[in-house]
């Protein structure tokens, strides 16, 4: 089992019954993909391993759907997704399988959070796992928005260096575009995608700058892609296609 | 080449230079996935086939990134993604590779649209392709929002049955959850995901009901997942984790 998932499992299972449904392979940048063209294979985790649940041949969003509708005896109180290796910030939320699992659970009416650690090197999940349990315990701060999925990022810092928690909007941080070309033995060019997340805007009210400054960041999420300002303008126009 | 892509290519190439960069395999419900764990292989399309461009081993979002940064001699005026077989409506925008390509282009500062046909059976792309060309010609109706990516759905109806064009918000339509279990030759259960899109809300101001009523639907999109109302509430609270 991925060490981030194991750390989250251990922290939450101290006070909760935890049922694990996880992709059987690492799912990097799969976004909110779901699997329609192939069947989903499931493998029950061995109770000897200390986990109750299943490994699934699909994506994080597949896991949530299958867990809620087929694998769990009854729906859970909350879905926790993570702990991801690497922060999920700004426009990169679009690419994140970890975030998609929380959004999928929310679409199904289940409380949900995604939790990510802001490093890819030698990750230490202990503080992030402890914070996840703390957040679950304090879920009532969401008041009437308890069904709002939360995107949580934890800095990869020693606990005494973490400055606190900030509730932030999604920033406009995004992956820089970098493609590294290589040549195969037959002389053909192929590419590795190797961008880095860079911030474009904002102060400590936005996710990327706040995480960089040493704060745990929490963004409540919605799933509405409508650009309402542009829609208001378009509704004043007409675009009917003349018959040929 | 997929027939929806070929129809779009033919309609747009009457008045424009079209450069094709497309996934080499069908990408169903891949969402906004990008490929980081594997390299991206590219194959130049044969000029004999009548297309100028490349087939890529990745997702629709990969294709856009690679096209803009490596494959095209200069950035295009507009990215057109589709024509998808099957509508892209409501929360299902999260799952759509077709829509992700338009959103990715928009993140890169390029005008963009996704276009989908509302059927999976015996698709006839001719009206949708003609409408795509009509929309490109009338892009200036977007005024100051010309960089806003558009999600376009065309009903699978005879042209004289189409009622017109409506500018609509994303509805809350979503896939119903349906998993069809099967048993493999060794007695193990696996699942096919087989939901249908169902509308939950709204009148003709929303994408799903408007398409069902026979209108071409156009939704201008944004990519901000922030739930601002929940954020306002959370900012009145505190969640700092006590030191252990």
């Amino acid at each position: 089992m991925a060490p981030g998932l194991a750390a989250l499992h251990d922290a939450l299972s101290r006070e909760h019954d935890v049922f694990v449904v996880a992709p059987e392979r690492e799912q990097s940048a799969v976004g909110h993909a779901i699997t329609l063209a192939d069947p989903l294979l499931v493998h029950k985790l061995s109770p000897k391993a200390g986990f109750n649940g299943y490994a699934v041949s699909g994506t994080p969003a597949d896991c949530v759907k299958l867990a809620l509708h087929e694998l769990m005896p009854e729906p859970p109180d909350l879905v926790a997704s993570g702990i991801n290796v690497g922060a999920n910030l700004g426009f990169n939320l679009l690419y994140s399988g970890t975030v998609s699992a929380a959004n999928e659970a929310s679409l199904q009416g289940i409380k949900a959070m995604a939790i990510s650690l802001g490093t890819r090197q030698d990750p230490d999940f202990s503080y992030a796992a402890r914070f996840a349990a703390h957040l679950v315990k304090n879920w009532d701060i969401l008041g009437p928005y308890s069904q709002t999925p939360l995107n949580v990022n934890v800095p990869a810092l020693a606990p005494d260096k973490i400055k606190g928690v900030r509730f932030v909007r999604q920033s406009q941080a995004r992956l820089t575009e970098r493609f590294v070309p290589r040549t195969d033995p037959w002389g053909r060019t192929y590419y590795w995608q190797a961008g880095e997340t860079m911030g474009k805007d904002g102060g400590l009210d936005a996710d990327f700058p706040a995480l960089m400054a040493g704060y745990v960041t929490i963004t409540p999420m919605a799933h509405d892609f409508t650009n309402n300002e542009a829609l208001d303008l378009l509704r004043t126009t007409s675009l009917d296609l003349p018959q040929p």
Side-chain angles (χ1 to χ4, degrees), chain A:
Chain A
M1 179 174 298
L5 173 53
L8 184 59
H9 175 275
D10 292 348
L12 294 180
S13 58
R14 285 183 203 162
E15 298 190 23
H16 308 279
D17 290 331
V18 178
F19 193 94
V20 175
V21 182
E24 63 188 13
R25 294 201 319 142
E26 189 187 333
Q27 300 279 311
S28 196
V30 296
H32 206 125
I34 58 175
T35 304
L36 300 177
D38 299 298
L40 295 168
L41 311 184
V42 301
H43 297 103
K44 200 159 172 43
L45 298 171
S46 161
K48 273 192 230 162
F51 300 105
N52 184 22
Y54 290 86
V56 172
S57 64
T59 65
D62 288 329
C63 288
V64 170
K65 286 171 171 280
L66 204 55
L68 298 182
H69 293 278
E70 295 290 338
L71 302 178
M72 296 190 72
E74 54 188 56
D77 296 319
L78 184 144
V79 168
S81 172
I83 301 169
N84 192 61
V85 180
N88 277 305
L89 301 163
F91 289 137
N92 294 342
L93 267 60
L94 287 168
Y95 308 129
S96 168
T98 304
V99 170
S100 81
N103 280 330
E104 185 62 46
S106 162
L107 288 180
Q108 313 269 349
I110 308 286
K111 296 176 177 68
M113 66 174 173
I115 183 157
S116 307
L117 182 66
T119 186
R120 294 180 186 277
Q121 292 181 320
D122 301 326
D124 176 350
F125 298 103
S126 53
Y127 184 89
R130 202 154 63 83
F131 185 80
H134 173 68
L135 175 56
V136 170
K137 190 176 285 184
N138 289 278
W139 201 264
D140 61 3
I141 62 168
L142 277 160
Y145 301 103
S146 66
Q147 303 297 320
T148 301
L150 300 182
N151 181 38
V152 182
N153 285 281
V154 176
L157 296 172
D160 62 346
K161 297 282 189 264
I162 291 178
K163 291 190 183 155
V165 178
R166 289 194 75 94
F167 300 102
V168 292
R169 66 179 169 81
Q170 178 188 324
S171 72
Q172 297 184 41
R174 44 177 290 243
L175 280 186
T176 54
E177 302 306 316
R178 193 162 80 92
F179 288 94
V180 180
R182 292 282 183 267
T183 306
D184 78 11
W186 301 273
R188 296 175 298 204
T189 301
Y190 63 95
Y191 300 88
W192 289 93
Q193 199 161 178
E196 291 288 320
T197 300
M198 295 295 289
K200 252 187 149 178
D201 76 324
L204 295 180
D205 68 324
D207 58 7
F208 182 80
L211 186 78
M212 293 301 109
Y215 291 93
V216 175
T217 65
I218 301 182
T219 300
M221 295 186 289
H223 343 85
D224 187 350
F225 283 5
T226 313
N227 182 329
N228 286 300
E229 292 175 10
L231 180 55
D232 287 344
L233 171 74
L234 285 170
R235 282 182 167 152
T236 67
T237 70
S238 171
L239 197 63
D240 288 355
L241 179 60
Q243 296 296 328

